[in-house]
Amino acid sequence: MMMRRRSKIPRILSIILLTIAAIGFAFPFYFMIVGAFQESPTNAPDELFPTSGWTVDNFVAIDSRIDLAGSLLNSLIFTAGVLLGTVVFGLLAGYAIARLDFRGRGVIWVLMLLVQMVPFQLLMIPLYVQITRNYGLGDSYMGMILPFLINTTAVFIFVQFFKALPVEIFEAARIDGAGEIRLLTSVAIPLIRPVLVTVVLVTFIGPWNEFLWPFLITKDASLQPLAVSLANYISNVAQSTANPNGAILAGATALAFPVVILFIVFQRFFRATDLGAAVKG
């Protein structure tokens, strides 16, 4: 009986520590959301659960100065284009490097790893000159999307998980007459679905919060994504409003809300794939 009680103590302590850590991480988000709907939020919350002073004027003030819906649509187009390129090229390149035997595969793998070591800021000016002068894609969605169309980190993740898949699955499918595209779409992708969702979520955060490149490539305010529009609003307009803190918190809430919702909706996909059952089946 004493042994059972002793074994429960570490578990209870871990639950308590994890709960405290979760509250600590969630509190800034709570303060941001509450402050976004307050008439006069301060630098520190006077009340943990305020009962008065609620308003939507902070969001109305933002929408009156920038096209909030249009900026949100621009962010969605920019992010969707990056996600599409990341998934399509990442799956094809990852499967080819992991499962196909061709000359130069090792060289491509090394070059891909070297590309990850080069900071994007070093390439920004040459990319800007090439995209605007040579391609004529300044002030366009394609100009924003093109530098992020292939994500080497996603390729690296897909390669590792494609290599981890049992060889017997692919051999059995080849015996049945399946080609490489059929193997990729019908065999490999269903087995790494949690990894695919993870790549999508991780990739989504990057372009959604990206500021520097869209700010550099777009001069037309009607094409700027939400992060750029909110940054311009906060730096140029927010301090002149009646409630600057509320405006800043409202802008941060508008930018973070879609990401939080996406993680809540897709968190059920973060589970291990039963590869053993697939082999037996």
Side-chain angles (χ1 to χ4, degrees):
M1 195 70 180
M2 291 294 295
M3 292 296 294
R4 289 183 179 180
R5 290 181 179 177
R6 290 179 180 177
S7 63
K8 289 182 178 180
I9 292 176
R11 184 179 180 182
I12 295 173
L13 289 176
S14 63
I15 292 174
I16 293 174
L17 292 175
L18 288 174
T19 303
I20 295 174
I23 294 174
F25 279 107
F27 181 76
F29 291 97
Y30 170 78
F31 177 57
M32 176 183 69
I33 295 173
V34 171
F37 289 95
Q38 284 290 297
E39 293 179 352
S40 57
T42 56
N43 294 327
D46 296 329
E47 298 179 353
L48 189 59
F49 303 102
T51 57
S52 61
W54 296 96
T55 182
V56 294
D57 291 343
N58 298 324
F59 293 93
V60 174
I62 293 178
D63 193 50
S64 64
R65 298 300 184 97
I66 65 173
D67 184 7
L68 195 58
S71 299
L72 181 61
L73 180 61
N74 293 335
S75 291
L76 291 175
I77 294 174
F78 174 41
T79 305
V82 173
L83 288 178
L84 181 62
T86 297
V87 171
V88 173
F89 291 112
L91 286 173
L92 293 175
Y95 180 81
I97 295 174
R99 287 296 172 182
L100 300 183
D101 188 11
F102 58 92
R103 183 177 298 178
R105 183 177 63 173
V107 175
I108 294 176
W109 177 250
V110 172
L111 289 176
M112 190 193 71
L113 295 179
L114 290 176
V115 168
Q116 289 184 305
M117 301 178 185
V118 180
F120 179 72
Q121 287 75 11
L122 294 179
L123 305 175
M124 191 170 296
I125 300 303
L127 278 173
Y128 175 79
V129 174
Q130 185 176 16
I131 289 177
T132 55
R133 293 184 181 179
N134 298 345
Y135 299 157
L137 295 177
D139 276 330
S140 66
Y141 293 120
M142 186 54 66
M144 286 191 289
I145 295 171
L146 196 59
F148 304 96
L149 201 59
I150 300 177
N151 191 322
T152 55
T153 302
V155 176
F156 178 82
I157 295 174
F158 285 133
V159 167
Q160 300 306 314
F161 279 90
F162 280 138
K163 285 183 178 180
L165 296 179
V167 180
E168 293 82 0
I169 300 177
F170 297 92
E171 292 179 349
R174 288 191 178 96
I175 292 174
D176 292 337
E180 298 300 334
I181 298 298
R182 180 70 181 275
L183 285 173
L184 174 62
T185 57
S186 301
V187 178
I189 292 179
L191 291 176
I192 64 163
R193 190 175 300 170
V195 181
L196 181 60
V197 175
T198 302
V199 169
V200 169
L201 292 178
V202 172
T203 306
F204 180 89
I205 297 175
W208 184 262
N209 292 329
E210 180 65 29
F211 165 77
L212 193 54
W213 176 253
F215 175 76
L216 186 65
I217 201 69
T218 57
K219 306 304 179 185
D220 187 358
S222 63
L223 291 174
Q224 291 178 342
L226 186 60
V228 178
S229 298
L230 288 176
N232 291 333
Y233 171 78
I234 290 173
S235 60
N236 299 325
V237 182
Q239 297 301 325
S240 62
T241 60
N243 186 5
N245 288 335
I248 293 172
L249 293 174
T253 301
L255 187 62
F257 184 74
V259 180
V260 175
I261 295 299
L262 194 70
F263 270 89
I264 293 175
V265 171
F266 288 100
Q267 66 176 348
R268 61 190 179 91
F269 289 99
F270 288 93
R271 62 179 184 273
T273 307
D274 192 357
L275 300 178
V279 174
K280 293 179 183 178

